[in-house]
Amino acid sequence: MRSRSTVRSTGTLVWYDQPAAGPFSAAPEFREARPLSSRGSAVGHELGKVIRSFATGVCVAATYTDTPDGRRHDAITVNSLTSVSLEPPLICICLPGNSDFLSALRSSNLWAVSILHTGGDEVARILESDRQSRMAALPSLTAAPGPSTGALVLDCLGWLECVLRDEFDAGDHTVVIGEVLATGAQERRSPLISLHGRYHATGAPRTAAPPVPTGDIR
Ligand SMILES: Cc1cc2nc3c(=O)[nH]c(=O)nc-3n(C[C@H](O)[C@H](O)[C@H](O)COP(=O)(O)O)c2cc1C
């Protein structure tokens, strides 16, 4: 059974200022503590700028609406994918509360996530556009309905098919929790990376690959 709840700010959170001369010229200073609400929009703006330095993978979330005229697929580029739990298998993505995609997802309850490889940057650009443009482009993409959900799975590194398990309002976004029904992976290719508002390929690893297990590991 799906529930709906809201994460509220307590109003007692405090914030840190960056030192004026740069982040590494001194340890971060704890300069002032004020209720978050008095700095809300300014901190939100700073969050938007700072989080661009957090490199993520890039996925496509897909769902659909069944209409009298047939099934209408929708898909969007997302980088908020997080693995939440292995038992039961849960993942989440974050969507704006007024998202068209979220409305479609609520109508079918079913969705899929395709983790893009480096060659998926063009697909990612297409599916970050408005709903009309991306739905017009969908038939030209290499994609097929997932066997467990019917939501589109793209040419990708790995895919997850989900049922909508829960959702929580959190500020101006909704955290959408999916229970994973089925997974799949294709041949090893490099993942597409989102960083500083652009798409990147991964570079050389900084450490040696871990040894491949040969025996029974307990
Ligand atoms: C790299 C990248 C990551 C994105 N990640 C998300 C995300 O996690 N959640 C989200 O709602 N939109 C994300 N977007 C924006 C969506 O791709 C899309 O533009 C937007 O959700 C469409 O909103 P709509 O459903 O109201 O039409 C991302 C865009 C880019 C370029």
Side-chain angles (χ1 to χ4, degrees):
M1 186 70 178
R2 206 149 46 90
S3 66
R4 190 176 169 81
S5 59
T6 302
V7 178
R8 291 180 200 286
S9 164
T10 61
T12 56
L13 299 179
V14 294
W15 56 278
Y16 290 82
D17 258 355
Q18 283 190 343
F24 299 112
S25 58
E29 283 178 52
F30 185 67
R31 289 191 180 161
E32 193 174 346
R34 283 188 240 156
L36 187 62
S37 55
S38 68
R39 291 251 313 163
S41 61
V43 175
H45 182 69
E46 286 159 20
L47 167 61
K49 287 197 295 186
V50 171
I51 206 69
R52 287 160 53 90
S53 300
F54 184 58
T56 67
V58 183
C59 315
V60 169
T63 191
Y64 55 81
T65 318
D66 282 326
T67 74
D69 297 331
R71 183 161 288 185
R72 290 166 62 90
H73 288 279
D74 193 4
I76 61 169
T77 302
V78 295
N79 68 347
S80 56
L81 176 70
T82 300
S83 171
V84 173
S85 160
L86 297 182
E87 195 54 55
L90 302 176
I91 61 166
C92 76
I93 58 172
C94 300
L95 301 168
N98 61 357
S99 155
D100 293 334
F101 181 84
L102 179 56
S103 306
L105 199 160
R106 284 176 180 145
S107 86
S108 69
N109 270 351
L110 296 168
W111 49 300
V113 173
S114 302
I115 301 169
L116 295 181
H117 53 75
T118 311
D121 57 327
E122 190 53 39
V123 170
R125 273 187 209 98
I126 290 169
L127 297 178
E128 66 186 56
S129 60
D130 63 276
R131 187 167 200 236
Q132 203 175 348
S133 311
R134 59 184 194 252
M135 287 177 80
L138 269 180
S140 66
L141 303 183
T142 305
S148 300
T149 58
L152 291 178
V153 172
L154 279 71
D155 176 31
C156 64
L157 287 180
W159 50 266
L160 309 167
E161 288 189 88
C162 304
V163 59
L164 180 58
R165 163 79 175 256
D166 216 335
E167 60 175 85
F168 306 91
D169 290 340
D172 57 9
H173 273 59
T174 299
V175 182
V176 174
I177 310 273
E179 178 160 0
V180 179
L181 303 175
T183 72
Q186 296 194 30
E187 88 250 36
R188 284 184 83 93
R189 283 183 281 182
S190 296
L192 184 63
I193 303 296
S194 170
L195 176 64
H196 295 144
R198 299 178 66 184
Y199 295 118
H200 298 256
T202 41
R206 298 278 291 170
T207 57
V212 177
T214 50
D216 189 16
I217 297 177
R218 291 174 202 278

